[in-house]
Amino acid sequence: MSVAIRLARRGRKKLPFYHVIVTDSRNSRDGRFIEKIGHFNPLTDGDDRLTLKADRAVHWLNVGAKPSATVGKMLIGLGVGTDKQRADMQKVIDLRKNAIQARLKKEADAKAAEAAAAKAAEDAAAAEAAAAEAAAAAEAPAAEEQPSA
């Protein structure tokens, strides 16, 4: 059984409130959980924003529970866990951040390539139109030079 420490959403529409829970990773976000170890209220500031039972969090980390990226950031901010555990959490956070940055860069490169292709097509169309205009201009004087009978 793979154990995860993650957030479970509570509260109502537009007023989020989260429980920090320990659960089997196969369970749904708001489904069954093993233990509730804290809560997080993103709408408040100060000390009431995050409440966590640090001893239980350390226990579950020692047992092998893997925190989600968001919970990992919270645990790092609170200084919960050993140095190795915090380094592992930071590594996961960095990997996800790098993956997001790579995806955004790939999308930007694709947009730039699409824009360059559109510009090249526009330039080719303009050159073709100029060539057709030049050919039409070259034929027009020839038609005027022929005598009419």
Side-chain angles (χ1 to χ4, degrees):
M1 176 169 86
S2 178
V3 179
I5 303 174
R6 62 182 176 211
L7 298 175
R9 191 172 201 270
R10 300 288 189 259
R12 59 184 185 176
K13 182 178 176 181
K14 306 244 184 215
L15 294 173
F17 183 85
Y18 298 92
H19 289 275
V20 182
I21 60 168
V22 178
T23 184
D24 183 354
S25 62
R26 296 171 292 185
N27 290 344
S28 64
R29 179 191 72 178
D30 297 332
R32 281 189 323 175
F33 59 90
I34 299 168
E35 182 179 359
K36 184 181 121 183
I37 62 173
H39 58 83
F40 171 64
N41 187 353
L43 300 178
T44 61
D45 292 329
D47 296 335
D48 293 340
R49 188 175 176 101
L50 175 66
T51 304
L52 188 72
K53 297 176 189 172
D55 58 330
R56 296 307 295 164
V58 169
H59 165 76
W60 284 107
L61 289 171
N62 289 336
V63 170
K66 300 288 183 200
S68 68
T70 305
V71 173
K73 289 178 191 178
M74 292 176 185
L75 295 175
I76 289 171
L78 293 174
V80 174
T82 64
D83 290 338
K84 182 182 181 320
Q85 289 168 341
R86 286 194 301 271
D88 290 344
M89 287 185 266
Q90 187 62 48
K91 191 184 307 180
V92 169
I93 292 167
D94 292 341
L95 285 173
R96 290 186 183 188
K97 186 176 7 173
N98 291 340
I100 291 170
Q101 288 174 346
R103 182 177 50 86
L104 291 175
K105 185 179 184 305
K106 184 177 177 182
E107 289 174 1
D109 291 345
K111 272 189 176 180
E114 185 178 307
K119 176 76 169 148
E122 184 179 306
D123 291 344
E128 187 177 309
E133 190 175 302
E139 288 181 14
E144 291 176 10
E145 291 178 11
Q146 293 179 359
S148 11

